[in-house]
Amino acid sequence: MYSPNTSSFYANTTDDYDVAVIGSGMGALSAAGLLAKQGLRVLILEQNYLPGGCTSAYWRKGFVFESGATTLVGLGNQMPLQHLVDALGIKIPARKLELPMQVHLRDGRILNRYQDLEAWIAEAERVFGVKNQRPFWEFCYRISQFVWQTSLKQTAFPPARLSDLWQCALRATPEQVRLARYAFFSTQWLLKHFGLDKNDDFVDFINEQLLITAQNHAKEVNVLFGATALCYTNYDNYYVDGGLINLVNPIIAYVERQGGACHLREAVQHVRRAERGYVLRTDKAEYRARFVISGVPLNNTLALFEGLPTNKYTHQVLDSESLNSAFQMGIGFKNSTTTPATIHHQIHLPKALTGIGAASIFLSINHPDDHSRCDEAGHSVASVSTHLPDPGNKGAIDKSAAEAQVLDILEQRGFLKREHIVYMHSSTQKSWEKWTGRAFGFVGGYPQWMRIKPWQMVEARLDGHGAYLCGDTTYPGQGIPGTVLSGIIAAEKLLRDWPEARSERFATVRQTDVLITE
């Protein structure tokens, strides 16, 4: 119990923090940075030896490999990552891509996914035929603009309290009310609406593109998410020199400058609620904090916290059958004489990968002007990934066979030659589980499922006492922009729920107050 004279949680010791953040993915770091800006003392606890989770990079055998994500969207007007960067006043070493992506269809045709909408519509008409491509893409782009313009305004969504509903109502516009209905229609419905559902090549293209950001196919992805996912190449796309860990490090440095800390190789094992605060036990120490933000998946979070109302999540926690892991390869190779038109390529396969079942692979190569990812001049580094469904029930993958299939594809498409490979490694669901600690080794966030209605999405509050959730299993999930947005939402809900956390007194009162643990 606490001394009756205390007005805050803290003793003046090194083990007490205003906010403890579990994990260091982009959702967790976004919340940590924004709360540190308010003067709160933040502790970030990361089980891995590097920060960033699925948005990171690591050196191995002379090359810097991305740990997961390779594309970067979200910098730009009204975008979540830009909001975070501006709020913290940090700089990211990002290069804007002139051509965001190329898509290689099964029959060998190549589409350039131009950012300019007019150029992209002309390209889509060239490959898929003129019929209804323009109205389809103009509609999708308008929806995507609506989603991004709304995302930073409706940070109380999904509403879980009357105060959330009030915030949503205050910020609502007639357009939001009118377009929100598309959350109840699938992207498959949208294809049929525009008479494109019988265009088999186009449907295949849409399904494989949706997998990149929405983690599912058209029949399960609602129109709001689907249109936004399909148009992400129509917004500024960036590449970060040295790998995406250089997106992560500036945020951690900011938190540390504000008096916070980031502990690597320290896994949280248990969280329990004490009076007006929480006690977190790791594999090395015990910490006390007034607030806790979990940036690890909901599946993992429920196993960590003592006393959470698990029945609240009966229809929200997804099992292995509804999730995806990934088969990924990192390849260091000598440069060939040909330079690809862009660094990102989705390659559709004539037949699914044996033992994996994926119908496409995603290839990312380091930017040709970034010489920091290879120890030796004249070398390049590539990341190849593809979806691995139902990872918890998937048996051992024959990595050698999968690698051989992928290398055949890359050679056939002219990206590299086997004899030019300097170093190569691959990972399956077991590797992901070890790297991230995520249940089943799933990555990419919760997929979109039509059976989960907007009001059933996982919201930021865990228990109503000061514990919050962010990351790619909460609304809105998927991709760096969505994950950053989840951290913004968690931070804003915490500050709205506990207005005293905004005051300077809250951040300094710990110097005199005393905590007596239970």
Side-chain angles (χ1 to χ4, degrees), residues 157-159 180 183-184 222 224 450 452-458 475:
F157 193 85
F184 300 95
N222 72 54
L224 293 183
M450 285 301 296
I452 300 175
K453 305 305 179 187
W455 60 85
Q456 295 175 318
M457 291 179 178
V458 181
Y475 171 85

Side-chain angles (χ1 to χ4, degrees), residues 224-291:
L224 293 183
F225 281 96
T228 306
L230 291 171
C231 287
Y232 90 92
T233 50
N234 298 116
Y235 292 83
D236 290 347
N237 279 241
Y238 292 89
Y239 171 89
V240 177
D241 281 13
L244 283 172
I245 195 167
N246 289 326
L247 170 64
V248 167
N249 282 336
I251 305 174
I252 293 176
Y254 176 86
V255 171
E256 292 175 339
R257 288 196 302 271
Q258 300 302 113
C262 178
H263 293 187
L264 302 176
R265 297 182 186 270
E266 190 160 1
V268 176
Q269 297 177 330
H270 184 261
V271 182
R272 66 177 176 85
R273 188 162 65 89
E275 187 179 352
R276 298 180 63 201
Y278 298 84
V279 176
L280 297 87
R281 188 181 74 244
T282 74
D283 52 354
K284 295 181 179 178
E286 191 171 88
Y287 302 92
R288 294 164 290 183
R290 171 62 187 91
F291 302 110

Side-chain angles (χ1 to χ4, degrees), residues 8-25:
S8 182
F9 181 84
Y10 300 97
N12 186 22
T13 73
T14 58
D15 290 338
D16 294 329
Y17 292 85
D18 299 313
V19 185
V21 178
I22 305 171
S24 64

Side-chain angles (χ1 to χ4, degrees), residues 29-331:
L29 292 181
S30 300
L34 293 171
L35 294 173
K37 184 184 179 183
Q38 292 293 325
L40 302 181
R41 188 164 176 247
V42 177
L43 170 66
I44 301 166
L45 295 166
E46 167 58 51
Q47 59 92 26
N48 211 333
Y49 76 98
L50 287 172
C54 293
T55 307
S56 189
Y58 57 94
W59 180 92
R60 185 177 293 177
K61 302 293 184 180
F63 300 93
V64 176
F65 296 101
E66 301 282 23
S67 68
T70 58
T71 61
L72 179 61
V73 185
L75 292 169
N77 189 33
Q78 297 180 321
M79 299 290 272
L81 184 55
Q82 190 67 55
H83 172 87
L84 177 70
V85 167
D86 291 344
L88 304 186
I90 60 178
K91 293 183 179 180
I92 306 297
R95 299 176 184 268
K96 187 176 181 296
L97 300 180
E98 294 303 315
L99 178 61
M101 184 198 303
Q102 283 188 328
V103 179
H104 304 248
L105 300 182
R106 292 178 178 85
D107 59 9
R109 290 178 295 169
I110 299 175
L111 289 89
N112 292 313
R113 290 236 53 184
Y114 297 112
Q115 179 179 342
D116 179 75
L117 183 62
E118 286 298 318
W120 164 240
I121 291 173
E123 182 76 346
E125 289 178 338
R126 177 185 70 84
V127 175
F128 299 115
V130 173
K131 180 184 175 182
N132 286 342
Q133 289 293 321
R134 175 169 292 278
F136 176 83
W137 289 107
E138 287 179 341
F139 175 84
C140 286
Y141 186 66
R142 183 162 62 91
I143 290 293
S144 71
Q145 287 184 305
F146 160 75
V147 168
W148 290 125
Q149 290 167 3
T150 302
S151 63
L152 289 172
K153 297 176 182 177
Q154 291 290 1
T155 52
F157 193 85
R161 297 178 176 179
L162 287 176
S163 59
D164 292 341
L165 286 170
W166 178 243
Q167 288 289 329
C168 289
L170 285 176
R171 299 178 182 182
T173 66
E175 184 184 41
Q176 289 175 13
V177 175
R178 181 169 59 85
L179 295 182
R181 65 192 175 96
Y182 287 112
F184 300 95
F185 296 87
S186 71
T187 306
Q188 187 177 62
W189 169 89
L190 187 65
L191 289 168
K192 187 174 182 179
H193 177 75
F194 283 99
L196 294 168
D197 57 315
K198 304 300 182 185
N199 186 336
D200 292 340
D201 287 346
F202 186 64
V203 172
D204 287 345
F205 164 78
I206 292 295
N207 279 328
E208 295 306 314
Q209 287 278 281
L210 286 175
L211 274 178
I212 297 175
T213 48
Q215 301 293 312
N216 217 328
H217 291 133
K219 69 177 182 179
E220 294 293 352
V221 181
N222 72 54
V223 170
L224 293 183
F225 281 96
T228 306
L230 291 171
C231 287
Y232 90 92
T233 50
N234 298 116
Y235 292 83
D236 290 347
N237 279 241
Y238 292 89
Y239 171 89
V240 177
D241 281 13
L244 283 172
I245 195 167
N246 289 326
L247 170 64
V248 167
N249 282 336
I251 305 174
I252 293 176
Y254 176 86
V255 171
E256 292 175 339
R257 288 196 302 271
Q258 300 302 113
C262 178
H263 293 187
L264 302 176
R265 297 182 186 270
E266 190 160 1
V268 176
Q269 297 177 330
H270 184 261
V271 182
R272 66 177 176 85
R273 188 162 65 89
E275 187 179 352
R276 298 180 63 201
Y278 298 84
V279 176
L280 297 87
R281 188 181 74 244
T282 74
D283 52 354
K284 295 181 179 178
E286 191 171 88
Y287 302 92
R288 294 164 290 183
R290 171 62 187 91
F291 302 110
V292 175
I293 293 185
S294 177
V296 300
L298 180 61
N299 306 62
N300 296 74
T301 296
L302 294 179
L304 288 178
F305 277 74
E306 178 184 304
L308 282 184
T310 52
N311 60 319
K312 170 184 174 182
Y313 301 103
T314 303
H315 301 292
Q316 294 177 310
V317 178
L318 298 185
D319 57 17
S320 174
E321 293 180 358
S322 302
L323 300 170
N324 295 300
S325 185
F327 174 75
Q328 186 185 51
M329 293 174 62
I331 307 171

